[in-house]
Amino acid sequence: MKSLLNVTKLTKTYGNIKACNNITFELYPGQVLGIVGESGSGKSTLLNSIGNNLLIDSGEVIYVNQKNQVLNIKQIPESQHRKLTKTEWGFVRQNPRDGLRMNVTAGANIAERLLDVGVRHYGNIRQEAAYWLEQVEIDTNRMDDFPHTFSGGMQQRLQLARVLVTKPRLIFMDEPTGGLDVSVQARLLDLLRSLVRNLNLSVILVTHDLGVVRLLAHRLLVMKNGSIVESGLTDRVLDDPQHFYTQQLVSATLVP
Amino acid sequence: MFTANNTLNPPKTALSPDTLLYATGIHKRFTLHNQGGIKLPVLSDVSLEVKTEECVALTGVSGSGKSTLMKSLYGNYGIDAGEIWLKHNNHWVDLAQLQPHEVIEVRQKTIGYVSQFLRVIPRVPALDVAAEPLLELGCDTEVAYQKIKELFSRLNLPERLWQLSPTTFSGGEKQRVNLVRALAVDYPIFLLDEPTSALDAKNRQVVVELLTEKKQQGSALVGIFHDREVKETLSTRELVFQADQT
Amino acid sequence: MTQTKSTNNQPNASTESGFNFAYLDEQTKRSLRRAILKAVAIPGHQIPFSSREMPMSYGWGTGGIQVTASVIGKPDTLKVIDQGADDTTNAVNIRRFFAKVCGINTTEKTSEATLIQTRHRIPETPLKEGQTIVYQVPMPEPLFVIEPSRTEAAKMHALEEYGSMYVKLYEDITNFGHIATAYDYPVMVNERYLMKPSPIPRFDNPKMNNNPALQLFGAGREKRIYAVPPYTKVKSLDFQDYPFNIEKWDNKACKFCGSTDSYLDEVVTDNQGTRMWICSDTDYCHHQQKSGIDS
């Protein structure tokens, strides 16, 4: 199996602070990679260094695109990078306000990524939008409602629909279940799991919730102070943690 | 299918063509950083070879390392030394050397694991939970669900429960979902961690029948059986763990 | 713009003394012309310029006036309209201003003008080669409603990322069943740059396409100039299944000239709600009335 994304020795500093220190990992198609660690451990910086156009100090990010071209993400033109983020990649933010346009309808939120790639047929766009709303289990007659009338869980699912409409291959998620209550969280997790399987998605999932990664992630990176202190199969890392910090993290979890 | 280098080199010892699992020189100890870094040795130079149609029962008092070995054989625990050779897609692979994504593939196709616990997303119906391994292998949805329903019926899991999440099930019901999840797939190797601990006699008998079928189909079984009758019916050999083997 | 070299233009006897020709000093006019040339070279692309303080407040056409001042020459004949009318305050004042500081001829007739400054309309009488029309622009950035950051908007223009602009049209159709944007309707210029045509009714949008006249746009407060050279493709944004269309007045005709194909203003004439419809383009209306009488 060929990897989809290869990150090698990625380093990103803010002044004297090493937010990401020599990070190396690879991601395979159809797999979910969880990144856990406490606040300030560099998880989100890592996500933004890869998925957004955050400047890094050193290191390489290699992505193999749909056409099987090997792209050095930090060296491709900005236009190509932006295009990736609107087509083959998708971002799901912790706060739906950062990932959605709150002042346009749910349908328009999904439509935007299609409009970005040049679809100009209103009827077809509506159909696609309805299809993806169904996929994320939002009633299609909510299509013309504004996202602010949606519950937190629905807003997260709308973010997903918005991203999925261009059939992405790699999705970045930053605490997607953050503000959700437990039952809504379960629903989102279930949905994510079946979408990952049915659409062969690769996901980088940043969270501090070990319960979420256990159910969703195939592999796990544990970060502390900008470095990866432990990595491996999710259940191996959680059931047989080697590093001091990981043991602390696991033993501090209420329901592991 | 992956073709990492380590998959091409067979184990150094010449093995019988019937061997499916060959673990040798396994050492495992736990270092508890939170408790002053004390080291707990659990496995020391443990070896195990299992052939097709065999069932090895791991026996010994509690705390002797049976479960640790099981989890090591599944890659759930990382071992400190030793080799765990498995016949995967007709190639020998050493689980201890595989990359995480390769272990995932080995687990999908070669090793079935029945643990005592069932960890699932709360709202997912029992049917979906049990069908997941089949679906991940690319099995047709219709066929997969049919197979799961048959197994549920055989294990007398009431049909009204099939569409409910197992989180609300009793211990015995959960265990049956867990069994069906693993037994639906024809793995060459099954690891069974007390598979009948919460079952009544009738269902225990069904499990024994199902596992016997697997054995007859050529699978290799490794199990911890607290039930003497089950153990005696199924196992062809025993591997005895000493309480203090270090 | 029949004369481009205005350096030798000395104010004549009829002009206000103490001012340079066309009010602005020559250096300023040159810098403006450089911006205009650049704008013409990249149709639809906004060029920044150092907008000057004018003897009127922002929002009254300071951008248009500066563009007009930088291209006007002695032989020019100027027409100024506001919402199609030559006789409204804004139009009258700007026309008088240029008459005072240039001593040029002014006209109300579209066909006689070489230079037309406009607020919110394009004359009904088709423009000809050699004519220049200057639009007063309040807000030049079409992406402003979508992207408040100038830097980001510039990037979107550079990379031709205009998908989000269609979100607004999508919302229109969703809410009203048709594209409801009535004025300042965004267009693609020369199949490359997204442009705001200034707040002209969408009725006028098709007139911009392939127009023989030079079209210049000036935004004084926002300090931007852009242009559509003669015979340039200008396409209004739309969807394949919701094509662009212009306003129609079912069975209504101008009360004065009887025109049915010009842009009509609705006027309430009494407290009982009696209405009439009249041409917004006063020159066109006069012309129609006259030719009606003549025939």
Side-chain angles (χ1 to χ4, degrees):
Chain A
M1 187 157 47
K2 257 179 85 178
S3 60
L4 185 74
L5 184 78
N6 265 298
V7 176
T8 317
K9 294 184 175 167
L10 187 148
T11 298
K12 166 79 188 169
T13 56
Y14 293 113
N16 289 330
I17 300 159
K18 282 202 168 165
C20 289
N21 186 11
N22 227 8
I23 304 292
T24 298
F25 68 87
E26 72 280 355
L27 180 65
Y28 292 86
Q31 290 194 354
V32 179
L33 176 75
I35 304 179
V36 296
E38 59 199 0
S39 305
S41 59
K43 309 186 297 278
S44 294
T45 300
L46 178 58
L47 206 60
N48 285 320
S49 299
I50 305 163
N52 282 354
N53 223 353
L54 197 63
L55 279 178
I56 58 170
D57 298 338
S58 61
E60 233 178 23
V61 180
I62 304 288
Y63 171 72
V64 183
N65 75 0
Q66 196 115 50
K67 294 176 191 153
N68 223 9
Q69 292 167 313
V70 179
L71 304 178
N72 191 333
I73 292 304
K74 291 295 158 190
Q75 282 171 23
I76 55 172
E78 191 182 359
S79 57
Q80 200 176 356
H81 191 277
R82 283 168 74 108
K83 190 145 190 217
L84 269 182
T85 60
K86 291 176 178 202
T87 53
E88 292 189 24
W89 292 4
F91 241 104
V92 175
R93 312 272 176 186
Q94 173 173 18
N95 188 340
R97 274 169 201 82
D98 299 332
L100 294 174
R101 281 189 197 280
M102 300 304 279
N103 56 351
V104 300
T105 59
N109 267 288
I110 303 175
E112 185 172 359
R113 299 242 311 184
L114 290 174
L115 294 167
D116 278 337
V117 296
V119 181
R120 294 288 180 266
H121 190 287
Y122 179 81
N124 293 352
I125 290 170
R126 294 282 289 180
Q127 245 174 12
E128 277 280 296
Y131 173 79
W132 286 105
L133 280 177
E134 270 171 32
Q135 292 303 301
V136 300
E137 301 168 18
I138 295 176
D139 195 338
T140 48
N141 58 35
R142 299 297 306 271
M143 177 145 74
D144 298 335
D145 293 343
F146 288 96
H148 65 77
T149 67
F150 286 12
S151 67
M154 281 170 79
Q155 289 180 354
Q156 285 310 56
R157 279 178 279 137
L158 179 59
Q159 270 206 78
L160 260 179
R162 173 177 159 96
V163 163
L164 291 174
V165 71
T166 53
K167 304 194 174 57
R169 305 166 73 224
L170 173 57
I171 299 187
F172 301 90
M173 295 189 187
D174 195 354
E175 304 274 9
T177 56
L180 306 178
D181 72 54
V182 184
S183 68
V184 176
Q185 188 173 329
R187 188 170 179 191
L188 187 68
L189 289 176
D190 174 33
L191 177 70
L192 284 173
R193 226 155 104 120
S194 57
L195 287 172
V196 164
R197 186 174 64 221
N198 298 338
L199 306 173
N200 200 34
L201 293 173
S202 301
V203 178
I204 300 183
L205 169 72
V206 161
T207 180
H208 60 259
D209 190 331
L210 296 186
V212 169
V213 285
R214 187 185 282 280
L215 293 172
L216 219 52
H218 298 97
R219 283 167 50 218
L220 203 56
L221 303 181
V222 183
M223 284 185 78
K224 183 168 169 58
N225 296 334
S227 299
I228 297 177
V229 295
E230 189 163 350
S231 69
L233 277 179
T234 302
D235 62 276
R236 212 281 293 143
V237 174
L238 295 182
D239 293 341
D240 185 18
Q242 306 290 316
H243 191 271
F244 174 74
Y245 175 68
T246 319
Q247 290 190 357
Q248 213 175 32
L249 203 64
V250 171
S251 61
T253 308
L254 292 175
V255 189
Chain B
M1 197 186 101
F2 56 83
T3 51
N5 284 338
N6 53 32
T7 64
L8 300 175
N9 304 322
K12 290 182 189 89
T13 325
L15 293 174
S16 144
D18 288 342
T19 302
L20 295 180
L21 168 69
Y22 173 70
T24 177
I26 294 178
H27 291 257
K28 173 68 184 170
R29 68 178 181 192
F30 293 98
T31 309
L32 305 180
H33 296 290
N34 296 333
Q35 292 165 40
I38 56 163
K39 294 183 167 63
L40 297 175
V42 180
L43 300 177
S44 173
D45 200 18
V46 176
S47 295
L48 171 69
E49 181 177 354
V50 194
K51 294 177 179 154
T52 175
E53 294 180 37
E54 270 191 330
C55 173
V56 177
L58 310 183
T59 58
V61 295
S62 117
S64 58
K66 307 185 297 288
S67 261
T68 300
L69 178 64
M70 287 287 260
K71 286 175 174 159
S72 301
L73 294 177
Y74 193 57
N76 183 219
Y77 284 178
I79 55 172
D80 300 319
E83 299 163 17
I84 302 170
W85 292 97
L86 305 161
K87 208 181 247 177
H88 170 70
N89 282 337
N90 277 322
H91 288 280
W92 283 107
V93 295
D94 180 1
L95 196 69
Q97 292 177 49
L98 294 184
Q99 294 296 309
H101 72 276
E102 295 169 330
V103 176
I104 291 171
E105 200 199 305
V106 168
R107 285 179 178 182
Q108 268 180 10
K109 294 180 180 164
T110 303
I111 328 175
Y113 186 78
V114 181
S115 75
Q116 298 180 70
F117 309 103
L118 181 64
R119 274 203 181 94
V120 289
I121 297 173
R123 68 158 191 161
V124 185
L127 260 179
D128 294 1
V129 169
E132 200 179 6
L134 273 177
L135 296 177
E136 266 173 13
L137 281 169
C139 179
D140 179 72
T141 318
E142 200 80 346
V143 177
Y145 282 89
Q146 196 48 47
K147 198 163 182 181
I148 299 302
K149 284 175 184 168
E150 279 167 23
L151 284 167
F152 275 174
S153 304
R154 265 187 89 175
L155 280 163
N156 308 303
L157 190 72
E159 198 167 337
R160 62 185 163 81
L161 295 180
W162 296 2
Q163 292 297 340
L164 299 180
S165 164
T167 36
T168 57
F169 288 9
S170 73
E173 288 159 351
K174 274 186 190 168
Q175 189 158 44
R176 277 175 277 167
V177 174
N178 220 352
L179 274 160
V180 170
R181 206 176 130 88
L183 296 179
V185 183
D186 292 321
Y187 297 109
I189 300 164
F190 281 92
L191 305 175
L192 314 157
D193 194 350
E194 305 207 18
T196 59
S197 58
L199 300 185
D200 56 27
K202 192 171 103 187
N203 284 319
R204 209 151 53 218
Q205 190 48 42
V206 180
V207 173
V208 170
E209 280 166 32
L210 285 168
L211 289 172
T212 308
E213 283 167 27
K214 291 290 175 197
K215 222 165 64 171
Q216 283 163 356
Q217 285 163 15
S219 295
L221 273 50
V222 179
I224 302 169
F225 307 103
H226 83 299
D227 188 283
R228 178 185 291 262
E229 203 184 309
V230 173
K231 184 179 78 184
E232 282 170 2
T233 321
L234 279 175
S235 67
T236 49
R237 263 184 312 127
E238 280 190 26
L239 181 68
V240 184
F241 283 68
Q242 305 300 324
D244 184 24
Q245 50 170 304
T246 43
Chain C
M1 206 171 54
T2 43
Q3 183 176 348
T4 49
K5 203 165 176 237
S6 57
T7 345
N8 295 329
N9 281 315
Q10 293 304 317
N12 62 22
S14 67
T15 59
E16 197 83 0
S17 64
F19 292 103
N20 190 33
F21 180 81
Y23 184 78
L24 292 175
D25 63 274
E26 294 305 314
Q27 283 304 332
T28 301
K29 286 198 270 182
R30 272 190 207 111
S31 76
L32 269 152
R33 283 182 212 131
R34 278 195 290 272
I36 291 168
L37 282 173
K38 203 166 163 185
V40 170
I42 316 170
H45 178 53
Q46 301 163 48
I47 313 294
F49 78 106
S50 52
S51 183
R52 291 293 192 267
E53 201 68 41
M54 295 305 281
M56 63 197 298
S57 48
Y58 285 140
W60 288 82
T62 52
I65 281 198
Q66 289 180 79
V67 170
T68 300
S70 67
V71 299
I72 199 166
K74 270 221 155 137
D76 270 323
T77 304
L78 180 71
K79 169 183 164 79
V80 182
I81 50 172
D82 173 8
Q83 304 272 21
D86 295 84
D87 53 5
T88 51
T89 315
N90 194 230
V92 170
N93 280 325
I94 292 174
R95 192 164 58 233
R96 200 164 54 195
F97 171 77
F98 278 112
K100 267 189 181 172
V101 296
C102 301
I104 43 102
N105 293 325
T106 60
T107 181
E108 295 194 358
K109 291 199 170 69
T110 302
S111 54
E112 283 175 10
T114 56
L115 191 55
I116 301 166
Q117 179 168 335
T118 176
R119 173 176 175 267
H120 301 188
R121 275 309 309 274
I122 299 176
E124 305 289 358
T125 312
L127 302 177
K128 302 171 295 191
E129 274 185 26
Q131 286 184 314
T132 300
I133 180 164
V134 177
Y135 298 78
Q136 299 172 196
V137 179
M139 179 58 204
E141 181 50 72
L143 297 170
F144 181 73
V145 283
I146 303 288
E147 179 50 67
S149 154
R150 269 274 182 198
T151 323
E152 180 64 15
K155 206 170 264 176
M156 289 164 78
H157 279 296
L159 302 174
E160 231 181 313
E161 289 176 359
Y162 295 139
S164 48
M165 201 60 207
Y166 283 85
V167 170
K168 166 118 184 33
L169 305 187
Y170 170 96
E171 289 288 81
D172 270 4
I173 300 174
T174 303
N175 290 328
F176 310 112
H178 62 273
I179 299 173
T181 306
Y183 62 90
D184 219 344
Y185 191 107
V187 292
M188 280 298 285
V189 179
N190 201 24
E191 297 178 342
R192 175 58 184 85
Y193 281 99
L194 183 70
M195 186 185 94
K196 262 192 143 185
S198 86
I200 57 171
R202 79 169 189 265
F203 178 88
D204 284 344
N205 268 23
K207 296 178 189 165
M208 307 182 80
N209 182 39
N210 222 23
N211 195 309
L214 170 64
Q215 306 176 65
L216 302 177
F217 300 78
R221 183 184 48 216
E222 301 295 327
K223 304 176 175 58
R224 292 291 187 282
I225 285 172
Y226 50 103
V228 176
Y231 301 111
T232 302
K233 186 171 176 188
V234 176
K235 191 183 179 303
S236 307
L237 301 190
D238 61 0
F239 286 106
Q240 286 153 5
D241 48 344
Y242 284 84
F244 174 81
N245 59 21
I246 57 172
E247 300 92 328
K248 289 191 177 62
W249 293 263
D250 307 320
N251 307 319
K252 300 286 187 303
C254 173
K255 178 88 173 172
F256 301 143
C257 72
S259 171
T260 52
D261 51 7
S262 77
Y263 188 84
L264 299 179
D265 285 337
E266 183 179 356
V267 184
V268 179
T269 52
D270 60 22
N271 288 341
Q272 276 67 53
T274 314
R275 289 138 209 272
M276 63 172 181
W277 279 264
I278 55 168
C279 288
S280 116
D281 186 337
T282 50
D283 168 57
Y284 177 80
C285 194
H286 292 150
H287 187 75
Q288 290 286 102
Q289 288 175 49
K290 229 175 126 211
S291 59
I293 295 161
D294 290 349
S295 57

